[in-house]
Amino acid sequence: MKLDAGFIRLPHRFDTESLVASVRALPEEAWQAHPRGWAGVRVVPLVTAEGQSDPRPVEGRFRPTSWLQDLPDLARLLGRLDLVVGRTLLVELGPGAETERIVEAGYYWHRRVRLFLPLSGGEGADWHSGQERASLADGQAWVIDGWRGTRIEASPDEPLLFLATETVGSAAFWSTLNSADRPLDPEDRGGMSPRQVRLDGEVPDLDTETVRMPSVMPPWEVENLLGFVRSELAALPDSSHRPKLEAVFEQFTRQWHGIWARHGDSAEGFDEYRHALEQAVAQAADFVGQWKLSNGMDGMQLLHVMLAAHALKDAQGVPVRVALSRPDKARRPADASVQQPQTGSSYANGASDAGSEDSPSPLRSVHTRSMPAMLAEIGSSLLVTTYQAGKLAVVREEEGRVNTHFRPYQRPMGLAADPSRMALGTGQAVEFYRNMPELVKGGDPKDRHDGMFLPRRAHVTGNIDIHEMAWAGDELWLVNTRFSCLCTLDETNSFVPRWRPSFISAYAAEDRCHLNGLEVVDGRPRYVTALGTADTAGGWRENKAGGGVLMDVESGEIICRGLSMPHSPRWYDDRLWVLESGNGTLATVDPDSGHLETVAELPGFTRGLSFLGPLAFVGLSQVRESAVFSGIRLTERVNERNCGVWVVDIRSGKQVGFLRFEDAIQEVFAVAALPGLRYPDVLQGSDPRVASSFALPSEAMKEVVAPSTGRSAAGQ
């Protein structure tokens, strides 16, 4: 909720000694990583939707978790602040840890504020609201204006411990807030006298929120939210486009009222509501980028998170997502709180390079500060394919940030790469590349590239739905998903079938079991994954949530059954790894017993896996509202939809960093690490540098005379 001051100090005062002592007595299992993945930040959920351990959902009856029962003084404190309690977390930032900058703008935040109660380390920390910064003393209660953007930095010398609770307040709470101290306001007159909160007596039953977002937003709420958007736009100096946008608002409001009058929130009106919403969003998209609000948001982005992303739900209760973007504009997910990352915090904008004039621009990403540091430390980079966006991304460290360099391809999926070679599976072909940096650097000492993959040949396979690929010596093996087999390539045929599961009776272009993952061990194909064991066209779909298998290629035996959409089997560190994508997990499997042990739960559909040292680089995809992704556990566990590359320390199972794509990229397929290559590139056949670069046998090189300008050939 937008407030009249960045920092408001409520009159409540409380002793922190007993509170801190009880928090420190909590068992280690009470703590979990912050749901946004901030390095050095952990939380204990105290009040959540339905009292569950996952603090991310914001809909349902909010109830105390079991951990709040072990903290009676904190329960007393919450119960005596004159508010209806919403989501509440106990938060700890390690010494020097930081949060990202969060702008709280959207449907959920329209009538809510977040209350901060520092328990220890508050005065040594820096608390930011927009451009303002304050020191919050322990034992005090503060409201920070999240509309301006909130960021917190712990002191480098001590941890920061505080209670954070979200609330719609109450009549008494808002009366207190309106009269409270605004210490950074030059016109502040001192506010209210301090009032000590007693932490003894009975533990009260908390008044908690029940959040039920409607299936169809009532017209009066539509008008209220549009009124807020209008007021923000009216405060901006540029008004040249506003009359046209006002006409869009007026038309949409009247349409919504008319549909409501006929159908109310009945499912019979769903198609009409959706059409009205899509029409309004399409018209509003013409104004994307026209207005920048005081908190850094685009004016139409505010319209999206405030109204469009929450106006309508489908029959399964999933909000109807209608993208508010133009072809030349960036898109953002419609989250309840909009992130405005800043370089210099622990969460930074990634530098993106579309790599082609006809690529969508920009292809935005954000990352933890740890991500470029890790890539720099291990002296390596990553290749990432995303078939949904039609891109191959080269992920590399550049001046303390992650640079994502994109190359366009037609449905790129399977990827086999090492520092010397690369094979890329696309919609109808496999393209082969060699690393030849000496051909393109041209002796320029300023050229940072230490790897340059040039195209050498392509093999047309037809549409066989290539999934994972792997080198077995010098021979490339492909997962031919459409024909439910493993295959190789020769000079004559589209492909050469080499192996199929025993339960597949014949080769047919029917994707019977959705064979997808492949691992080569000691130069031979060894492990594969499939989403089912059906022998009928598309039969794997019937039990996709729990019908997946991990198989041994040599024996043909099934090692592990009952997996949820498994992908990316890997043999690393003398262990067999697999991604159980439907659960969003990274796991190990005992090849002898088939026993599966989850190493890490991640906030997305896990697919694509590569290792470097103790680090696992895991691809994450958003879960779409489609039949393919319905009924899997991940959709129940994860509300926030993430796409990118997450990094897990396999020694502890902890998430230690991530690169998240924010805009057009919603799905990742393959992730391949390039050890020893810090700043590689991939050139396509149309690149002019390919036209003037020549690789010749070493003997022929002796006869080559270098031209006075341009590039000379290189021997192989």
Side-chain angles (χ1 to χ4, degrees):
M1 182 172 182
K2 187 176 182 181
L3 301 172
D4 62 355
F7 293 91
I8 302 176
R9 180 169 52 202
L10 301 177
H12 310 296
R13 302 292 186 271
F14 53 92
D15 294 328
T16 61
E17 184 176 354
S18 65
L19 297 174
V20 173
S22 60
V23 168
R24 295 306 179 202
L26 287 172
E28 186 63 26
E29 59 263 27
W31 296 91
Q32 59 180 263
H34 193 282
R36 292 187 181 273
W38 298 331
V41 184
R42 58 181 190 164
V43 302
V44 178
L46 299 181
V47 179
T48 62
E50 307 304 338
Q52 60 186 302
S53 59
D54 184 355
R56 286 168 293 190
V58 294
E59 190 167 1
R61 175 69 178 178
F62 280 78
R63 304 178 188 276
T65 68
S66 59
W67 300 118
L68 189 56
Q69 298 175 11
D70 298 332
L71 302 168
D73 284 355
L74 275 181
R76 293 186 184 98
L77 176 60
L78 285 171
R80 291 166 184 167
L81 293 178
D82 296 324
L83 50 83
V84 180
V85 179
R87 180 169 51 184
T88 302
L89 302 178
L90 187 62
V91 184
E92 183 183 57
L93 279 69
E98 304 173 354
T99 71
E100 65 184 81
R101 179 175 180 259
I102 299 295
V103 175
E104 293 168 348
Y107 179 79
Y108 176 80
W109 286 107
H110 185 50
R111 294 295 181 187
R112 286 179 178 81
V113 296
R114 183 179 278 121
L115 187 65
F116 294 88
L117 299 100
L119 304 182
S120 66
E123 286 191 272
D126 283 333
W127 306 74
H128 300 259
S129 176
Q131 302 302 312
E132 296 181 338
R133 184 174 69 179
S135 177
L136 276 56
D138 299 336
Q140 297 183 358
W142 293 76
V143 172
I144 301 179
D145 183 12
W147 166 264
R148 307 179 192 206
T150 304
R151 187 164 65 88
I152 307 169
E153 305 172 38
S155 163
D157 302 320
E158 63 175 330
L160 169 63
L161 182 67
F162 63 90
L163 190 67
T165 184
E166 300 161 8
T167 182
V168 295
S170 67
F173 173 83
W174 286 106
S175 177
T176 299
L177 187 86
N178 291 337
S179 302
D181 182 17
R182 287 148 172 77
L184 272 61
D185 185 346
E187 298 183 2
D188 180 62
R189 293 178 171 78
M192 304 175 67
S193 299
R195 305 173 186 177
Q196 192 69 21
V197 178
R198 296 177 58 88
L199 302 180
D200 55 1
E202 292 186 6
V203 178
D205 292 330
L206 297 181
D207 291 328
T208 57
E209 290 191 30
T210 297
V211 181
R212 303 290 185 198
M213 297 182 183
S215 57
V216 179
M217 189 178 289
W220 45 90
E221 190 169 18
V222 169
E223 290 190 86
N224 179 269
L225 297 176
L226 274 178
F228 178 76
V229 175
R230 282 169 158 158
S231 67
E232 289 301 308
L233 297 179
L236 299 176
D238 181 11
S239 60
S240 57
H241 300 287
R242 196 167 298 123
K244 294 181 181 178
L245 187 60
E246 286 287 348
V248 173
F249 290 165
E250 189 67 23
Q251 178 186 6
F252 173 69
T253 302
R254 288 176 175 173
Q255 274 188 290
W256 207 262
H257 265 283
I259 302 169
W260 181 271
R262 294 192 302 275
H263 300 293
D265 60 0
S266 168
E268 294 177 357
F270 179 82
D271 289 341
E272 292 183 56
Y273 282 121
R274 181 171 189 134
H275 175 73
L277 184 61
E278 290 176 343
Q279 182 183 48
V281 168
Q283 292 171 335
D286 290 336
F287 303 94
V288 170
Q290 300 296 332
W291 296 290
K292 186 176 182 180
L293 304 179
S294 60
N295 62 1
M297 293 179 66
D298 181 87
M300 294 303 94
Q301 180 189 351
L302 174 63
L303 173 67
H304 194 55
V305 300
M306 183 69 71
L307 177 64
H310 303 282
L312 184 63
K313 290 181 179 180
D314 63 19
Q316 287 71 46
V318 178
V320 173
R321 305 284 183 175
V322 184
L324 179 66
S325 60
R326 288 157 49 188
D328 60 335
K329 296 296 178 181
R331 293 184 296 180
R332 297 185 56 86
D335 295 336
S337 60
V338 180
Q339 301 160 2
Q340 298 289 335
Q342 293 180 329
T343 303
S345 71
S346 63
Y347 193 73
N349 284 311
S352 83
D353 181 354
S356 172
E357 292 182 0
D358 57 2
S359 297
S361 175
L363 293 165
R364 289 169 35 83
S365 64
V366 293
H367 58 79
T368 55
R369 176 181 288 178
S370 58
M371 193 71 179
M374 283 186 288
L375 292 176
E377 182 178 353
I378 61 181
S380 302
S381 53
L382 304 172
L383 295 175
V384 178
T385 61
T386 164
Y387 62 94
Q388 164 264 333
K391 297 289 180 288
L392 169 71
V394 187
V395 179
R396 54 208 183 181
E397 184 272 337
E398 182 179 33
E399 299 179 351
R401 301 172 71 191
V402 173
N403 173 276
T404 50
H405 186 70
F406 293 91
R407 296 296 190 189
Y409 288 90
Q410 193 261 326
R411 193 173 168 80
M413 291 180 64
L415 178 67
D418 59 37
S420 65
R421 60 188 175 177
M422 181 185 84
L424 180 66
T426 63
Q428 299 183 40
V430 179
E431 300 187 22
F432 293 86
Y433 293 75
R434 297 293 298 189
N435 182 14
M436 299 178 172
E438 68 279 2
L439 290 184
V440 292
K441 291 186 69 169
D444 184 355
K446 296 181 180 180
D447 194 332
R448 297 188 57 190
H449 293 100
D450 57 358
M452 194 68 67
F453 290 86
L454 272 70
R456 297 294 83 181
R457 61 188 174 91
H459 181 101
V460 177
T461 60
N463 180 14
I464 61 173
D465 200 11
I466 299 170
H467 276 56
E468 288 199 330
M469 307 191 302
W471 297 101
D474 290 329
E475 189 174 41
L476 183 69
W477 284 68
L478 291 67
V479 177
N480 184 332
T481 301
R482 194 172 184 191
F483 282 82
S484 306
C485 70
L486 299 182
C487 67
T488 54
L489 306 175
D490 66 10
E491 294 298 321
T492 303
N493 301 290
S494 298
F495 60 89
V496 180
R498 299 284 293 274
W499 178 92
R500 70 175 186 255
S502 59
F503 48 78
I504 298 297
S505 60
Y507 297 116
E510 296 177 342
D511 185 11
R512 297 181 175 185
C513 65
H514 204 75
L515 195 70
N516 58 56
L518 169 64
E519 174 67 327
V520 168
V521 180
D522 296 331
R524 293 176 297 178
R526 185 61 191 275
Y527 301 109
V528 295
T529 50
L531 300 196
T533 57
D535 193 29
T536 57
W540 62 271
R541 297 175 183 270
E542 295 180 8
N543 189 24
K544 61 182 181 297
V549 294
L550 172 64
M551 300 186 65
D552 187 316
V553 173
E554 292 187 349
S555 67
E557 297 296 322
I558 294 176
I559 297 172
C560 188
R561 296 178 181 271
L563 300 176
S564 181
M565 306 187 81
H567 285 82
S568 310
R570 299 289 184 267
W571 182 260
Y572 184 77
D573 193 32
D574 293 326
R575 287 183 284 178
L576 178 57
W577 301 79
V578 70
L579 297 177
E580 203 171 2
S581 309
N583 291 338
T585 58
L586 168 68
T588 58
V589 176
D590 185 325
D592 297 322
S593 67
H595 175 72
L596 181 142
E597 182 176 349
T598 298
V599 174
E601 287 191 342
L602 299 167
F605 187 86
T606 47
R607 181 175 53 197
L609 175 62
S610 192
F611 293 92
L612 281 175
L615 303 178
F617 294 86
V618 185
L620 260 65
S621 299
Q622 296 181 15
V623 179
R624 305 187 305 268
E625 295 95 350
S626 70
V628 174
F629 294 100
S630 63
I632 60 175
R633 175 174 172 261
L634 180 64
T635 60
E636 301 173 358
R637 181 173 66 82
V638 175
N639 269 357
E640 186 172 329
R641 300 176 177 199
N642 294 289
C643 174
V645 179
W646 259 242
V647 189
V648 175
D649 188 324
I650 61 176
R651 296 167 297 189
S652 63
K654 293 183 177 179
Q655 302 173 37
V656 293
F658 62 79
L659 165 72
R660 187 173 70 206
F661 297 117
E662 292 259 285
D663 299 312
I665 300 177
Q666 295 150 9
E667 295 187 24
V668 163
F669 184 79
V671 178
L674 296 176
L677 294 183
R678 293 174 175 268
Y679 204 80
D681 197 359
V682 177
L683 300 187
Q684 295 175 291
S686 59
D687 193 294
R689 288 172 291 180
V690 174
S692 58
S693 300
F694 306 93
L696 281 73
S698 298
E699 286 300 314
M701 276 299 298
K702 298 175 183 179
E703 306 288 332
V704 174
V705 177
S708 57
T709 59
R711 295 184 179 86
S712 62
Q716 300 300 307

